[in-house]
Amino acid sequence: MGIAELLRDVDGSGAFGVWLGRLDGVPVFEHLAERTHYSASTMKLPVAMAMMRKVEAGELSLDQPVTVHNDFASAAGGRFGVDPAEDEAPATWTKLGEQVPLGWLATEMITRSSNLATDLVLEQVGIDAAHAVLAEYGPGDSAIRRGIDDGPGVRAGISNLMSPAGLAGVLVAVGNQQGASGNYLRDLLAGNQWNGEIPALLPAGIRVEHKNGWDTRIRHDGGIVRPPDADPFVLVVCTTSDLADADAQKLIANIALEAWNHRRDLGGVR
């Protein structure tokens, strides 16, 4: 079953977008790839990229201590805190009031998708710097405008947006980045502990450098897949739908399997 057929099977259930291509950034299959969705945790990759830019510039250090707290400036004015019930990564919460290295927070942000760690890193990096990375590499209307769980921002209509093409753009940039920062970012993505989408149906042991995101009606994943017998490829699938969450995950996994089965002739994907 081709990707187009998989998408036809869910037609009418919501909005679905796909970007598939190699690390040269040229797509071989697109479906509504420029359409934005609420980004959920996919925005954490541009945050990490912006952090590493500041590390390279000497403005930040991965070893610098950051006090763990849960009180942040809202993009709409006022203050907000992360809802612990909505954060599926508990480790950062056990450090409240303590100092931890910035690099530790970045690892929790990407590998466990910690919302609290994300807002702590974003506070150090700055929303404008994170958005600038996404705007540089992600075409269209993808945007980072606020932190995770910024309730006043949500009520003011301030949202983080991501398109499949936008996430693909930052993944292509990471995949081609030379030096220690590129290695660091790729290793963070490869350490992702939430693997129910792109990696789920691929052979065991295949390196997948990916960042996913989920929320009510939202399930996304985007990553670089590195087959041992073919060139790496980039796949992003964004879904905003009425599908059961497990079915949205299964859809992404099946699209990834179809791409994998065509890895030696990616242009043959239909």
Side-chain angles (χ1 to χ4, degrees):
M1 180 180 291
I3 295 176
E5 188 174 352
L6 289 167
L7 293 169
R8 280 195 296 271
D9 285 348
V10 295
D11 190 37
S13 300
F16 304 90
V18 178
W19 191 102
L20 173 65
R22 297 206 185 273
L23 277 177
D24 60 4
V26 178
V28 299
F29 183 95
E30 292 181 285
H31 176 81
L32 299 177
E34 301 285 344
R35 179 174 179 173
T36 57
H37 302 246
Y38 170 58
S39 69
S41 292
T42 61
M43 55 82 74
K44 296 170 183 177
L45 176 54
V47 173
M49 294 167 72
M51 179 192 73
M52 291 310 297
R53 283 189 173 183
K54 294 200 171 227
V55 168
E56 290 179 333
E59 299 173 34
L60 294 174
S61 166
L62 293 176
D63 295 329
Q64 74 181 64
V66 178
T67 300
V68 177
H69 58 273
N70 188 25
D71 179 67
F72 303 97
S74 168
R79 312 291 295 180
F80 74 94
V82 176
D83 182 355
E86 296 293 323
D87 196 346
E88 298 178 75
T92 312
W93 293 93
T94 69
K95 306 292 186 181
L96 280 170
E98 301 178 21
Q99 289 188 330
V100 299
L102 177 62
W104 185 87
L105 290 170
T107 298
E108 287 296 301
M109 174 177 70
I110 297 297
T111 66
R112 297 299 303 174
S113 207
S114 167
N115 292 338
L116 181 57
T118 299
D119 284 342
L120 289 163
V121 175
L122 188 59
E123 188 175 56
Q124 297 293 316
V125 169
I127 290 173
D128 288 347
H131 174 72
V133 169
L134 182 55
E136 178 178 348
Y137 296 118
D141 297 325
S142 297
I144 297 175
R145 299 300 189 199
R146 61 169 173 83
I148 301 290
D149 273 357
D150 180 351
V154 173
R155 291 188 288 275
I158 301 170
S159 189
N160 297 324
L161 302 174
M162 188 71 75
S163 68
L167 185 53
V170 296
L171 285 163
V172 167
V174 168
N176 287 292
Q177 186 171 347
Q178 301 297 309
S181 290
N183 292 334
Y184 177 83
L185 290 166
R186 289 188 290 271
D187 285 346
L188 279 184
L189 294 171
N192 192 343
Q193 299 298 299
W194 301 103
N195 292 307
E197 298 90 28
I198 289 176
L201 299 179
L202 304 188
I206 298 302
R207 182 175 171 100
V208 182
E209 300 157 6
H210 72 116
K211 186 69 199 83
N212 38 10
W214 57 93
D215 203 337
T216 304
R217 301 186 72 240
I218 300 289
R219 182 59 71 167
H220 311 320
D221 199 8
I224 304 166
V225 180
R226 297 188 180 275
D229 56 352
D231 291 336
F233 63 86
V234 175
L235 172 65
V236 180
V237 185
C238 294
T239 78
T240 303
S241 76
D242 296 323
L243 295 179
D245 191 51
D247 291 337
Q249 288 185 288
K250 184 178 179 181
L251 172 66
I252 298 172
N254 280 322
I255 289 172
L257 180 60
E258 184 67 16
W260 171 265
N261 288 338
H262 287 83
R263 64 193 181 277
R264 298 188 193 90
D265 178 26
L266 206 61
V269 168
R270 297 291 182 265

